Amino acid sequence: MRRPLAAVLLTALAALALAGPASAAATPFVATLKATTHSPKANAAWPITLTVRSHSGRSLRATATYQFVYNGQVVATRYPSPKADLHSKCNQKKTYRHSAYPFTGRLRDPTVTWPARSAGIALKFRVVIKVQGLGTRNLDYSVRVRR
């Protein structure tokens, strides 16, 4: 006896609804962002640490890009330069890196600074992590810069 197509579709939809959302273990990799505070000081170094690993703990090769988000809109994109001198002329003229920064496992960046004009504004610091063959993950960190 053949089942009507509508009955088969309803059965499949009910099974999906009972299964619930996909678990965190189904994601292809684990990425974390750690920072010293949610209220960094303007024009001062704000060190961050990124880690990207497989679920078994193996370090993965990835690239990182920084985005600054205001009211859900990306207002600026910057690229990590963890080995740059904060006081160099190159860094002050903003003539540094123009592409995503490649790293394996852990990236420590002590060079993130917030401009004085961002003081008092609720922003999100977003790190876009890309792992070739496994996808992209956005790590958001709420920030309110102080003077």
Side-chain angles (χ1 to χ4, degrees):
M1 183 186 312
R2 297 182 71 190
R3 291 185 183 178
L5 182 60
V8 172
L9 288 176
L10 284 176
T11 305
L13 287 174
L16 285 173
L18 290 175
S23 68
T27 58
F29 61 92
V30 178
T32 59
L33 164 63
K34 291 182 182 176
T36 54
T37 180
H38 284 277
S39 55
K41 192 170 181 181
N43 296 320
W46 183 62
I48 64 167
T49 302
L50 306 171
T51 57
V52 179
R53 303 198 183 282
S54 67
H55 285 287
S56 65
R58 185 175 55 94
S59 296
L60 297 176
R61 183 157 174 74
T63 61
T65 303
Y66 301 154
Q67 292 180 340
F68 300 88
V69 181
Y70 174 70
N71 280 342
Q73 295 281 45
V74 176
V75 294
T77 300
R78 299 290 181 265
Y79 303 100
S81 297
K83 296 177 184 169
D85 178 14
L86 288 175
H87 305 291
S88 71
K89 288 183 181 180
C90 182
N91 196 14
Q92 291 170 356
K93 291 181 181 178
K94 309 294 186 213
T95 57
Y96 41 82
R97 188 169 192 85
H98 296 287
S99 62
Y101 189 83
F103 67 99
T104 301
R106 178 177 290 153
L107 170 64
R108 290 185 181 110
D109 190 353
T111 65
V112 178
T113 55
W114 293 86
R117 69 177 180 260
S118 64
I121 301 171
L123 299 168
K124 281 193 182 174
F125 177 71
R126 176 177 290 164
V127 180
V128 180
I129 302 287
K130 291 184 182 180
V131 177
Q132 188 172 6
L134 295 179
T136 302
R137 172 91 34 88
N138 291 339
L139 305 175
D140 287 350
Y141 197 85
S142 297
V143 171
R144 185 176 293 267
V145 179
R146 59 189 166 88
R147 291 191 191 274

